[in-house]
């Protein structure tokens, strides 16, 4: 298979404009003859559904939550980047492009990233017009703040709830189209498979979560905006329901899956407190501006932090990285936290935490200043842990936060299956091996508001209007497969709960395919995951039937897919003999312990092709060509 | 539907009617109280009786009193309509509810408080209004003008301990009803402003204490006087 | 610590439902309330019994999925906290904890603690938006908004749509939810054009869904996990008055 990225020719800055002109158009009167399915209603899905409906297409939107407004984009805290240069500090489209490419450790496609930076400015305009209450200066204009990986102030924000406000904006735009009759909304409905007719994506098979009924929906194109797969690790900052099922089933139907090993681990999360832990909560990275990270010098030091004198503390980030100190990038901070905990110097009941201490900052700036800056974060921390960070140092630990990998898409965001598109975190396209803060929201909305409305028309213009009835044999066949699979899961009636198996998978992935990986560990993990898969299909216990509301069955079906995806993540991590961004292989590091890329051999997108049950997947490579940036090695010493 | 019908069919429209009639009744309380304060004048009821005569015979006041009765009736009817509507909005209740943790007793029991006031009103009207209009009230003449001697009726009524006691209880009910209803009316009309609302709430509380207290002082005063 | 859970079990919408009691032994006080139910569900599943169904997703207090009436109050005893952010350290050892679904005609029970809150979606669909299409909007900084107004709009916009206001209100009124959206958009300059129409339509839909009327008990605001202020309800009332009293220059039949 040849991967055609469809990147337009010509200078970077003109590519998107030129491409838009070259795309075929669908006559306004004919748009109503096309049906489009959008799966997922987060930033990417909701913005796509709204924009496509505004153009006149008939949209069917699906989400597994009880309302479209609950998609996990809602939990994004920090902000959204845009190259507005409102601060007159030298920002530009090219600079945002450059920062994103560099932040991604040179593993993303130049053309896509440039387009992302280009449309970023439109996103802010759009959101303001929708009534998103962004932070403002006293003069009434928009405020900005700075974020990791950038030397300019380009992040727009709405207190610590930017994701919520942007999502509600997109949700309201979609709601307007529901009222107009152009979007038909299907909440509590989960996509369980893709239907392909004559080589083209023509519909989906879904499960009505309330009744358990398996239903088919036919359309002219299918758009997946189903988010990331961080829940492979069981514990992550993702919502409980976040899953990879839609993307994985599409993969099994022929869509290539790219760079699955690129996972982002966020350094400042609230540590795990016990076996019962169901998910992790992120604390804003901004805390590292004033907090000092440390652990005791001595192993197994169980004294309370106040009892440990200054000379017995190891401020390891300041020690190892004198110039960046506590502000090293996410991956560096995360790996170092893991390293000190592996040495047995971790703190807290589990030994899997490090201190983030504000005592010096409070002494220097006063309680009031610190409280003005971080008051709400401190409150949130105390709510969850019961400890007051003004008095005792916070405890933090890294957690899985975002997955850069995803379905392979071309410049038009189409996967390798004609008519199947992937948007937002669901695709692999814009963040390379590592995503910069405040860029996820930008990508989701860019794809949904400003890319897919143009590119989907190009595909549909070449499609006949005819609708395929869901009584078509292709639908019936997939429905039957889906039903059989669910019945099979129910019929196992083994001795382990879904969560028990999921936790096992998560443990393996976290230990061996997490923050730092080795070939040896990955090979072990490969075998262990195989065992977990076997356990699942022989020993899982799911109560109830498939013909009713059954939350355990929903989980089980998702976990079955996580297991398979986990295997692919391991393969991908194992084959990529280099360290880059979110993928750190211990064998490939500089003498100082930094990630060492191998641009000569690995400057490509790995795209995996599913070959069938039990068969190894085939690797395809899309070579990355860098004509506008110079590849450099990161250093934060 | 005409806009007016739409207003009346909307829950907010109905609430606005409650608040407008409520505020109107509050304004009546002020007038009624200031007139009745004449009972305390040490003139054997002359000023009070003349005031009562004026209030029952002046054509303008008679028209206003009809508006007042209408106000009361509308307030009661709409409270019934809304209460029924609200009851229907939660057909199955909670097994374990602790509303005292999130709201005041009076705010949740405006209906009961209102009912107490309504019963009071009926008895009150029967004792005085009915007697004035249809009963036999002794007369007195001041400067040659013959007027009903309502003052004597009042004194007689309040010398009974249970009657005076009932008045005091009803006024306590009124106090609670007012302390929620007063500011609440402003809230319902949309007149909640961060600058003014604290003041309205203070006035509301003050009004709810002072007005019922003064009303209640009348039966108490005459009861104690009757003992002497 | 040990606690006793008394949880509402209801097989489906038509089942009558009943309480069931579960003894929870040796639980960690750092556990969240939903994690306690997870633990119970694991136990139930191992015993071959059906787990307790409940809505939950982000577990960070922002998605608005979780909806439980815990010990007589929506989201339990802590102020400004959703059930997912409520931790067991706030309960007493040996405490009996009663858990019920939201109760309202407009929120019918689906199963156990799950209720149908689609009424909220329909209210937003009725007009909870500014009618702009994608593209063709002015530059963001061409619409200045004073910081105070932006902050106040934000305070209203933080609503997570969980329905605690309805659950708390003795009348099952949705005024706080509806007012939060109307207030946000009425405050901002972008929202002025459709201001009256929006209030009109959203309020009509709110009534059509069968929510109760507001009697200003303020329970909603007291129980709101985002602590949305009562002043928003007053704004909603004012918007209603304006929408109804204001005679439009052009009468349009709708």
């Amino acid at each position: 298979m040849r991967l055609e990225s469809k990147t337009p020719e010509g200078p970077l800055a003109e590519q998107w404009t030129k491409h838009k002109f070259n795309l075929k158009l669908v006559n306004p009167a004919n748009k109503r003859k096309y049906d489009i399915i959008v799966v997922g209603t987060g930033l990417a899905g909701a913005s796509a559904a709204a924009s496509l409906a505004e153009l006149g297409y008939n949209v069917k939107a699906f989400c597994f939550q009880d309302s479209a407004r609950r998609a996990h984009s809602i939990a994004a805290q920090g902000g959204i980047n845009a190259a507005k240069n409102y601060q007159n500090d030298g920002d530009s489209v090219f600079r945002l492009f450059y920062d994103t490419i560099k932040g991604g450790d040179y593993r993303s496609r130049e053309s896509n990233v440039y387009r992302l930076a280009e449309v970023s400015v439109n996103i802010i305009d759009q959101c303001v017009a929708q009534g998103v209450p962004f932070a403002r200066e006293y003069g009434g204009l928009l405020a900005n703040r700075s974020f990791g990986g950038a030397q300019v102030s380009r992040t727009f924000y709405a207190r610590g709830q930017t994701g919520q406000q942007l999502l509600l904006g997109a949700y309201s735009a979609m709601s307007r189209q529901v009222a107009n009759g152009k979007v038909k909304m299907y909440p509590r409905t989960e996509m369980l498979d893709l239907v392909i007719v004559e080589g083209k994506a023509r519909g989906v098979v879904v499960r009505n979560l309330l009744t358990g009924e398996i239903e088919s929906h036919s359309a002219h194109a299918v758009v997946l905006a189903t988010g990331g797969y961080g829940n492979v690790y069981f514990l992550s900052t993702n919502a409980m329901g976040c899953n990879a099922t839609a993307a994985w089933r599409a993969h099994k139907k022929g869509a290539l899956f790219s760079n699955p090993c690129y996972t982002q681990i966020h350094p400042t999360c609230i540590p795990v407190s016990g076996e019962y832990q169901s998910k992790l909560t992120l604390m804003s990275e901004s805390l590292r501006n004033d907090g000092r990270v440390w652990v005791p010098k001595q192993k197994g030091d169980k004294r309370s932090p106040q009892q440990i004198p200054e000379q017995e503390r190891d401020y390891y980030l300041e020690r190892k990285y004198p110039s960046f100190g506590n502000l090293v990038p996410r991956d560096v901070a995360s790996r170092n936290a893991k390293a000190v905990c592996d040495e047995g110097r971790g703190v807290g009941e589990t030994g899997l935490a490090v201190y983030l201490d504000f005592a010096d900052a409070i002494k220097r700036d006063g309680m009031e200043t610190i409280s003005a800056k971080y008051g709400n974060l401190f409150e949130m921390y105390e709510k969850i842990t019961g400890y007051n960070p003004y008095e005792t140092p916070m405890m933090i630990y890294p957690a899985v936060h975002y997955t850069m990998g995803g379905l392979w898409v071309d410049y038009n965001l189409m996967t390798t299956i004609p008519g199947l598109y992937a948007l937002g975190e669901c695709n692999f396209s814009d963040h390379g091996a590592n995503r910069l803060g405040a860029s996820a929201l930008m990508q989701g909305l860019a794809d949904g508001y400003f890319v897919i409305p143009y590119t989907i028309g190009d595909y549909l213009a070449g499609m006949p209007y005819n609708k395929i009835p869901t009584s078509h044999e292709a639908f019936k066949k997939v429905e039957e497969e889906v039903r059989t699979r669910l019945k099979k899961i129910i019929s196992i009636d083994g001795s382990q709960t879904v969560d028990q198996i999921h936790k096992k998978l998560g443990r393996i992935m976290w230990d061996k395919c997490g923050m730092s990986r080795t070939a040896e560990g990955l090979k072990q993990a490969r075998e262990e995951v195989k065992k977990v898969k076997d356990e699942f299909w022989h020993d899982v216990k799911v109560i109830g039937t498939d013909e009713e509301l059954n939350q355990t069955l929903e989980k089980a079906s998702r976990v079955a897919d996580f297991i398979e995806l986990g295997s692919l993540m391991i393969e991908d991590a194992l084959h990529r003999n280099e360290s880059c961004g979110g993928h750190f292989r211990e064998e490939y590091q500089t003498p100082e312990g930094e990630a060492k890329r191998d641009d000569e051999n690995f400057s490509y997108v790995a795209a995996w092709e599913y070959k069938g049950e039990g068969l190894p997947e085939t690797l395809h490579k899309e070579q990355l060509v860098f004509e506008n940036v110079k590849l450099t090695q990161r250093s934060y010493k | 539907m005409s806009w007016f019908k739409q207003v009346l069919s909307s829950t907010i429209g109905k609430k606005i009617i409650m608040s407008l009639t409520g505020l109107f009744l509050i304004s009546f309380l002020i007038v009624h109280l200031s007139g009745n304060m004449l009972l305390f004048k040490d003139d054997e009821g002359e000023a009070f009786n003349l005031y009562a005569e004026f209030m029952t015979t002046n054509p303008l006041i008679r028209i206003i009193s009809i508006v007042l009765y209408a106000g009361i009736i509308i307030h009661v009817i709409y409270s019934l309509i809304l209460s029924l509507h609200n009851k229907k909005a939660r057909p199955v209740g909670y097994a374990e509810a602790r509303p005292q943790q999130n709201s005041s007793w009076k705010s949740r029991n405006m209906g009961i408080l209102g009912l107490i006031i309504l019963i009071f009103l009926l008895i009150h009207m029967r004792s005085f209004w009915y007697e004035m209009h249809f009963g036999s009230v002794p007369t007195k003449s001041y400067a040659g003008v013959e007027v009903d001697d309502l003052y004597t009726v009042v004194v007689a009524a309040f010398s009974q301990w249970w009657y005076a006691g009932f008045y005091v209880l009803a006024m306590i009910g009124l106090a609670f009803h007012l302390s929620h209803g007063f500011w609440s009316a402003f809230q319902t009309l949309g007149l909640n402003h961060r600058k003014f609302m604290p003041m309205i709430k203070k006035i509301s509380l003050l009004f709810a204490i002072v007005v019922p207290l003064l009303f209640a002082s009348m039966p108490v005063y005459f009861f104690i006087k009757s003992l002497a | 610590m040990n606690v006793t859970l008394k949880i509402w079990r209801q097989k489906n919408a038509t089942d009558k439902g009943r309480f069931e009691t579960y003894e929870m032994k040796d639980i960690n006080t750092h556990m969240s309330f939903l994690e306690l139910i997870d633990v119970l569900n694991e136990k139930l599943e191992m015993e071959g019994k059906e787990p307790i169904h409940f809505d939950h997703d982000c577990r960070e207090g922002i998605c608005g999925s979780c909806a439980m009436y815990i010990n007589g109050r929506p989201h339990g005893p802590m102020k400004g906290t959703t059930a997912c952010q409520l931790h067991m350290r706030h309960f007493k050892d040996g405490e009996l904890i009663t858990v019920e679904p939201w109760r309202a005609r407009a929120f019918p029970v689906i199963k156990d603690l799950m209720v149908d809150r689609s009424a909220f979606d329909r209210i937003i669909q009725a007009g909870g938006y500014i009618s702009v299409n994608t593209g063709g909007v002015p530059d963001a900084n061409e619409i200045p908004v004073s910081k105070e107004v932006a902050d106040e709009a934000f305070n209203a916009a933080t609503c997570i749509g969980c329905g605690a206001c309805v659950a708390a209100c003795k009348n099952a009124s949705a005024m706080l939810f509806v007012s939060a959206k109307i207030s946000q958009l009425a405050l901002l300059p972008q929202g002025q054009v459709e201001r009256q129409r929006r209030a009109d339509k959203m309020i009509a839909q709110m009534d059509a869904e069968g929510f109760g009327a507001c009697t200003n008990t303020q329970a909603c605001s007291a129980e709101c996990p985002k602590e949305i202020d009562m002043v928003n309800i007053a704004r909603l009332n004012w918007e209603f008055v304006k929408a109804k009293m204001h005679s439009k220059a052009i009468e349009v039949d709708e």
Side-chain angles (χ1 to χ4, degrees), chain A residues 77 160 268-270 281-284 287 374-387 389 394, chain C residues 60-61 85 87 89 226:
Chain A
Q77 300 170 356
T268 50
C269 294
I270 297 176
T281 305
L282 186 82
M283 298 294 295
S284 167
L287 290 167
Y374 307 114
N376 55 342
L377 291 168
F378 281 23
E379 251 173 61
M380 179 168 106
Y381 180 83
E382 191 176 358
K383 199 180 264 183
I384 295 173
T385 64
Y387 299 112
M394 266 186 191
Chain C
E60 297 181 26
Q85 296 276 68
H87 288 74
R89 68 182 80 92
K226 294 290 154 193

Side-chain angles (χ1 to χ4, degrees), chain A residues 388-449:
Chain A
N388 179 353
Y390 293 105
E391 288 159 10
T392 179
M394 266 186 191
M395 283 191 279
I396 53 162
Y397 200 64
V400 175
H401 178 54
Y402 187 88
T403 50
M404 281 71 69
L407 293 177
W408 185 91
V409 289
D410 63 16
Y411 191 67
N412 291 330
L413 303 182
M414 200 199 286
T415 66
T416 48
I417 299 174
L420 178 71
Y421 292 80
L423 273 54
E425 193 179 352
C426 180
N427 74 27
F428 86 105
S429 73
D430 295 351
H431 306 298
N434 178 46
R435 179 179 64 76
L436 289 183
S439 283
L441 303 183
M442 172 171 69
Q443 189 217 342
L445 291 181
D447 289 358
Y449 284 135

Side-chain angles (χ1 to χ4, degrees), chain C residues 123-137:
Chain C
I123 292 172
I124 298 293
Q125 283 155 16
Y129 40 75
I130 291 167
S131 299
V132 289
N133 282 354
T134 305
V137 296

Side-chain angles (χ1 to χ4, degrees), chain A residues 107 518-519 522 571-580 583 585 587-588 596-599 601-602 604:
Chain A
R107 290 293 174 267
T518 63
L522 289 165
E571 290 310 319
D572 190 44
L574 191 57
H575 109 280
R576 190 167 278 279
N577 291 322
E578 65 160 350
S579 294
C580 60
H583 169 64
R585 282 279 299 273
E587 304 94 316
Y588 307 100
K596 201 169 136 197
R597 281 199 326 266
D598 179 353
D599 292 330
N601 296 308
F602 288 95
Y604 61 78

Side-chain angles (χ1 to χ4, degrees), chain A residues 559-573:
Chain A
V559 169
D561 292 328
F562 282 143
I563 296 172
E564 294 179 5
L565 174 54
S567 300
L568 186 63
M569 289 165 72
I570 293 167
E571 290 310 319
D572 190 44

Side-chain angles (χ1 to χ4, degrees), chain B residues 6-147:
Chain B
Q6 274 181 22
V7 172
L8 291 186
S9 68
S10 156
T11 49
I12 300 180
K14 294 191 184 93
K15 283 293 299 175
I16 287 172
I17 288 174
M18 288 297 288
S19 73
L20 289 175
T21 49
L23 285 175
F24 171 64
L25 296 178
I26 283 172
S27 70
F28 159 74
L29 282 181
I30 300 170
V31 176
H32 192 48
L33 178 70
S34 43
N36 287 13
M37 289 304 277
L38 293 171
L39 281 169
F40 291 123
K41 201 171 175 194
D42 200 15
D43 62 354
E44 297 285 299
E46 181 181 347
F48 179 75
N49 281 340
L50 287 173
Y51 158 74
E53 179 68 13
F54 172 76
M55 294 302 273
T56 42
T57 52
N58 184 294
L60 185 68
I61 300 287
R62 295 193 76 151
I63 292 166
I64 290 176
S65 69
I66 290 166
V67 176
L68 172 68
Y69 303 142
I72 295 172
I73 291 165
I74 292 171
H75 197 74
V76 169
I77 288 175
Y78 272 86
S79 79
L80 277 175
I81 295 173
L82 281 166
S83 297
L84 286 175
H85 175 84
N86 293 342
K87 197 110 196 88
K88 264 198 349 213
R90 176 164 295 139
V92 182
Y94 294 105
E96 167 85 25
R98 298 183 189 170
Q100 66 280 9
Q101 307 273 357
N102 57 36
S103 50
S104 63
W105 181 88
K106 62 181 186 226
S107 73
R108 297 191 308 273
N109 291 283
M110 289 297 277
I112 292 173
L113 292 167
L115 187 67
I116 292 172
I117 295 164
L118 182 65
I119 293 167
F120 164 77
L121 270 183
L122 293 174
I123 293 171
H124 179 63
M125 300 270 284
R126 171 68 187 83
S127 306
F128 304 115
W129 178 88
Y130 181 85
E131 287 299 326
M132 278 286 272
H133 287 82
F134 308 107
S136 53
V137 177
T139 55
K140 238 179 184 179
S141 87
Y142 301 105
V145 185
E146 189 101 338
V147 299

Side-chain angles (χ1 to χ4, degrees), chain C residues 7 24 45 107 116 130-131 134 136 149 161 175 192 207 217 246:
Chain C
I7 298 182
M24 303 301 291
E45 284 174 30
F107 289 168
D116 178 358
I130 291 167
S131 299
T134 305
V149 168
M175 289 283 276
Q192 298 312 309
D207 281 345
T217 67
H246 187 263

Side-chain angles (χ1 to χ4, degrees), chain A residues 18 47 96 106 117 134 137 142 158 165 206 281 380 402 440 491 525 540:
Chain A
K18 213 173 115 195
S47 58
L96 175 54
Y106 308 100
F134 281 121
E137 304 288 357
L142 290 158
Q165 295 310 316
V206 299
T281 305
M380 179 168 106
Y402 187 88
S491 71
V540 76

